[in-house]
Amino acid sequence: QSALTQPASVSGSPGQSITISCTGTNSDVGGYNHVSWYQQYPGKAPKAMISEASDRPSGVSNRFSGSKSGNTASLTISGLQAEDEADYYCSSYTSGSTLYVFGTGTKVTVL
Amino acid sequence: EVQLVESGGGLVQPGGSLRLSCVASGFTFKNYWMSWVRQAPGKGLEWVANIKGDGRQSFCVDSVRGRFTISRDNAKNSLYLQMNSLRAEDTAVYYCARSPKFDFDCWGQGTLVTVSS
């Protein structure tokens, strides 16, 4: 089971909106709505930001939103802030023997 | 407050064994699937294994099947990962995570496993 494909880096200025893509196959992203997103600061544990493609857990800023179309899921961060600078990973349930696959990760830089 | 605290990591020689533990608090542990997720130094996240709330069903990634065993003790609110025949490529920070649906909503701080001679 190959990792989901994410851009290595995405950058934006404060206040702007950015979108991170997460591309898989019909066996994972395209086959289920079970896509989630995680934010990770260096040396820290990941934090759940989005579940079921577009559900935002309580306590997560509404500046974060998720969507999915076909084999690609997306995380959008609106009103970009300095504190959003981190690594972001997507994850999907899969139909293979490996139940869950993560994305390659995207480093978000706030210019 | 939900809390997950891992322990048991360390330096081990190739071919050796290690047992990781994760103690949970702040929620009804037996009601949740639990997972282990690892992250090699400077690399991305990799799901390792998970186990159902009652402990009767578990799954793992192909690369650890036959070497790693996930288990739990609901009386102790604890999750375990027994790792045998360790290889250099198993070197990583190992996180335990709660899996309410098909995601990982709470994570521990992680424990570092280093496999090296």
Side-chain angles (χ1 to χ4, degrees):
Chain A
Q1 185 76 41
S2 299
L4 306 175
T5 301
Q6 298 181 231
S9 63
V10 174
S11 62
S13 301
Q16 285 186 330
S17 293
I18 62 170
T19 297
I20 303 169
S21 61
C22 169
T23 302
T25 69
N26 291 334
S27 297
D28 38 64
V29 175
Y32 308 92
N33 227 34
H34 307 319
V35 176
S36 50
W37 289 90
Y38 304 89
Q39 176 191 63
Q40 186 180 35
Y41 293 113
K44 300 297 185 182
K47 173 188 175 183
M49 305 301 284
I50 296 287
S51 66
E52 294 300 293
S54 60
D55 293 344
R56 192 172 50 247
S58 60
V60 173
S61 171
N62 58 10
R63 297 185 299 104
F64 292 84
S65 62
S67 63
K68 196 195 84 163
S69 178
N71 293 342
T72 299
S74 299
L75 174 71
T76 298
I77 308 174
S78 58
L80 198 63
Q81 299 179 2
E83 66 199 51
D84 300 331
E85 189 162 289
D87 293 326
Y88 292 83
Y89 293 90
C90 60
S91 176
S92 175
Y93 178 80
T94 85
S95 61
S97 57
T98 296
L99 289 191
Y100 295 93
V101 61
F102 281 92
T104 49
T106 298
K107 181 177 180 58
V108 169
T109 301
V110 181
L111 302 171
Chain B
E1 178 194 4
V2 173
Q3 197 167 14
L4 300 169
V5 180
E6 302 95 334
S7 62
L11 175 63
V12 61
Q13 291 188 340
S17 298
L18 214 52
R19 188 197 196 204
L20 306 183
S21 299
C22 171
V23 177
S25 60
F27 64 101
T28 305
F29 182 69
K30 65 180 181 179
N31 290 349
Y32 288 85
W33 282 80
M34 295 294 295
S35 296
W36 287 100
V37 177
R38 67 184 178 183
Q39 186 171 35
K43 302 297 184 180
L45 300 168
E46 180 185 30
W47 174 78
V48 175
N50 66 354
I51 186 167
K52 194 177 178 181
D54 61 9
R56 294 184 178 185
Q57 199 172 13
S58 65
F59 302 89
C60 67
V61 68
D62 289 346
S63 60
V64 308
R65 189 166 294 121
R67 300 188 300 122
F68 291 10
T69 301
I70 187 172
S71 63
R72 64 193 297 161
D73 184 338
N74 287 342
K76 296 182 178 180
N77 285 349
S78 294
L79 175 72
Y80 305 103
L81 186 66
Q82 177 66 44
M83 304 185 296
N84 299 330
S85 302
L86 282 161
R87 306 166 179 169
E89 54 264 37
D90 295 319
T91 294
V93 173
Y94 285 73
Y95 296 99
C96 73
R98 191 176 73 169
S99 303
K101 296 179 181 178
F102 296 90
D103 60 335
F104 312 97
D105 70 338
C106 297
W107 300 63
Q109 85 288 350
T111 187
L112 176 63
V113 172
T114 303
V115 184
S116 175
S117 54

